[in-house]
Amino acid sequence: MNTSDVVARAGRVFTPALHNYWPITVVRGEGVHVECDDGRNYLDFSSGLAVLNIGHKPKRVVEAARHQLERFVHTGGVYYNESTVTAAEELVAITPEGLDMVFFSNAGAEAVEGALKLARFVTRRQGIVCFTGAFHGRTLGAVSVTSSSARYRSRYHPLLPSVFQVPYPYCYRCPFAKSPDQCDLSCLWFAEKTLIHHIAPDEVAAFIIEPFLGEGGYVPAPRQFLVGLRELCDRYGIMLIFDEVQSGMGRTGSWFAAGHYGVRPDILAVAKGIASGFPLSAIVSRHEIMTQWPSGAHGTTFGGNPVSCAAATATIRTIRDDNLLERGRRLGDRALSRLREIAAESRIIGDVRGFGCMIGVEFVDEGGNPDGEGCERVLKHCLESGLILINCGTYRNVVRFIPPLVTSDDELERALDIFAAAAGSPK
């Protein structure tokens, strides 16, 4: 087996819609490292697209999944099993206080779809307000609230009705052309005006937002904006949905990005890092909301699979027992400091932002415009030097720096050295 053969075979059986970032074929993964078919070893700072928060093949997760596989694999909602119940108990123990009931599904888009359905069902309202630049998934409802790129929406119209977009608080590229010292939360003002000019607040079921914008550019929302959005929702009885598919499960140095803001959503969408690579997602909300969703109002065949749930329980316990939230914060502090030093010496880096192990590095040209080509050159240089990184943003000009929480100090420094060389900056 070699990469060219695998890529050729894939081209014959997979639609081009299925995209892989890099033409390499992984044969083994452990911790922060992957080994490819040519024997090369790479540092994986993509974490399998922010999924492998505790690295490749974590021992406790593998053991838990193997143990469950030896007992039974599937229940399909026909009968109960302890593995799924235990995972739900562990999850509500780490979600924001008061979010204490779960619906398991398989992927992030499913969790978003379910969150939108729940909000509409319980409020008996139809309107959804989302944010420009967001990515919530590729299923029809999820893509209706996605706008990180028009290509995700092209040719799928008509989309979900009664969806309204307002600007995301992307401070580096302020949609109102204001500098940070001029910020007057115009983005929040615009959201409130939407409830005057476009849809009445008593017709709005929910605002849905990524507290840390993912695919749209790796942008953490300002705390004052989320506090104000929570107050706006409370004022009109509108539900606040946090999509933490990418920012959850310790990725930011807190269990969820919500923890950095002190803002509690009404509904939380969770996926990616929840089960270390096994397919699982969840909608989490308060008891008084969830119990208004009667039997048959929503459903799943594979959601809450016992093997995935065993992996989720082991993932949560590993993060907790090995103090990986603190580890993630320390890694993030070191990475942010060094990346900002690199940016200060680089002509092509415009901004470095984030917290924990979720950091965006934005590349720009001489005029400060998004530079997707420059970003791509840096990524390819890193890959050739043994570091896997991926990009994001509408113009694909932002590098996602998302190492596993188990990354060692030496592994982090090696990755930063490679990145510095690729960005044209001395150490």
Side-chain angles (χ1 to χ4, degrees), residues 166-227:
V166 297
Y168 189 89
Y170 189 161
C171 294
Y172 181 67
R173 298 194 179 279
C174 175
F176 298 92
K178 296 189 176 183
S179 61
D181 62 341
Q182 297 173 319
C183 179
D184 59 0
L185 292 181
S186 293
C187 43
L188 187 62
W189 169 86
F190 192 98
E192 188 162 4
K193 289 297 181 183
T194 296
L195 304 183
I196 297 173
H197 295 290
H198 297 286
I199 183 171
D202 61 2
E203 294 183 276
V204 177
F207 276 82
I208 180 168
I209 189 170
E210 297 167 276
F212 195 126
L213 193 69
E215 170 72 15
Y218 263 44
V219 182
R223 182 180 184 277
Q224 62 268 34
F225 176 85
L226 291 179
V227 170

Side-chain angles (χ1 to χ4, degrees), residues 43-73:
L43 284 168
D44 183 6
F45 272 42
S46 73
S47 293
L49 227 172
V51 167
L52 305 171
N53 289 3
I54 58 174
H56 289 266
K57 207 175 70 175
K59 183 177 180 181
R60 289 176 68 176
V61 173
V62 171
E63 290 175 350
R66 181 184 293 117
H67 176 67
Q68 182 58 52
L69 278 166
E70 291 170 348
R71 296 164 61 214
F72 58 91
V73 173

